[in-house]
Amino acid sequence: MDINGQVAVITGGASGLGAATAQTFVNAGAKIALLDINLAAAQQTADKLGGIAVKCDVTDEQSATDALSEVQKAYGVGRVLVNCAGVGPPKRIVGRDGPMPLADYKKVIDINLIGTFNMMRLFAAALSKAEPLDGGERGVIISTASVAAFEGQIGQAAYSSSKGGVVALTIPAAREFAQFGIRVMTIAPGIFHTPMLAALPEDAQKSLGASVPFPPRLGRPEEYADLALFIVRNGYMNGETIRIDGALRMAPR
């Protein structure tokens, strides 16, 4: 699908992978809508890119419905959804203070997995009614998993569970949405230079980067964005999760 002139909705678009994807899509001619719980940060990014910012809690049905409705009023039907909203606080299942609070586990699942599903279902419902493009395609949904879905480390039980769910959601969603001409793909990044990692000391960042076989560095958000754009443009990519990790396989800790 040619993204030029099309509407792309990006959750978690205020920073990190979402902001980089927005920049790459704008460069390719797309109209972008940044959905984020932090409206001020999303607005700042949107102003730089010439897009719109909409406050959205991806875990909340009404908030997500209202956000997508606002995008449609401003731009028309969205053809691309990129789910980048997510959290990943580390915590052991059983730590020094006892078992992980169940609420902590639920929060990660709610944002990373249920939030992804919530946006997917609402976006696809609207897109399924749009006029098809060349070849019968209506659009594409790209979700964000993680290599932790496959090699979760100690302390990543909640995060790995949530991202494993995103991976497992990909193929049944792609099969179901095939009747509408909507493709569904997932990207599983390795260790990327995002605000979450930027908070670590520089020595820690270098150490993490050195653990990647090649290139021995942290991934750049623009590299995630380039892959997202390639997926949009390649109409035969559907129902798959693509790792982008420099051949990294996570150690137990």
Side-chain angles (χ1 to χ4, degrees):
M1 182 177 74
D2 184 1
I3 201 171
N4 184 38
Q6 302 296 351
V7 179
V9 177
I10 303 167
T11 71
S15 62
L17 302 179
T21 301
Q23 177 70 75
T24 297
F25 283 9
V26 165
N27 292 346
K31 303 172 186 176
I32 52 119
L34 307 183
L35 275 54
D36 206 288
I37 195 73
N38 187 339
L39 180 58
Q43 189 65 61
Q44 190 173 28
T45 302
D47 288 344
K48 292 178 184 176
L49 300 177
I52 62 170
V54 182
K55 185 168 185 177
C56 180
D57 177 353
V58 297
T59 69
D60 183 84
E61 182 170 6
Q62 194 61 54
S63 177
T65 299
D66 291 345
L68 290 174
S69 177
E70 188 171 335
V71 173
Q72 187 156 355
K73 286 177 184 176
Y75 281 153
V77 65
R79 295 286 183 175
V80 180
L81 170 66
V82 184
N83 285 308
C84 286
V87 295
K91 186 163 287 189
R92 289 176 179 247
I93 300 171
V94 180
R96 291 189 180 91
D97 299 326
M100 177 194 300
L102 192 56
D104 291 354
Y105 184 86
K106 284 182 175 179
K107 180 179 180 180
V108 177
I109 298 296
D110 277 348
I111 296 173
N112 294 357
L113 178 55
I114 295 177
T116 293
F117 178 79
N118 189 29
M119 297 306 301
M120 176 186 288
R121 73 188 183 92
L122 295 173
F123 187 84
L127 182 54
S128 67
K129 299 168 186 171
E131 285 297 315
L133 303 172
D134 291 344
E137 181 175 6
R138 283 188 168 87
V140 57
I141 296 170
I142 302 172
S143 297
T144 306
S146 165
V147 296
F150 309 101
E151 303 111 31
Q153 295 185 299
I154 292 171
Q156 287 189 319
Y159 185 68
S160 295
S161 298
S162 68
K163 295 303 187 178
V166 172
V167 171
L169 175 61
T170 307
I171 188 64
R175 287 170 167 171
E176 180 178 337
F177 295 163
Q179 62 183 311
F180 306 123
I182 300 172
R183 296 184 290 119
V184 181
M185 291 287 293
T186 294
I187 299 174
I191 307 172
F192 270 66
H193 194 280
T194 61
M196 193 184 305
L197 277 182
L200 295 175
E202 187 174 346
D203 287 348
Q205 293 184 42
K206 287 182 178 178
S207 176
L208 285 170
S211 69
V212 179
F214 189 82
R217 58 168 173 80
L218 299 178
R220 301 184 182 115
E222 311 87 70
E223 292 168 320
Y224 171 99
D226 287 344
L227 178 54
L229 181 59
F230 179 79
I231 289 170
V232 172
R233 286 173 166 168
N234 192 319
Y236 206 59
M237 300 191 77
N238 194 14
E240 186 57 271
T241 297
I242 302 175
R243 293 178 68 129
I244 178 169
D245 57 24
L248 174 70
R249 297 298 179 266
M250 301 288 279
R253 65 182 74 219

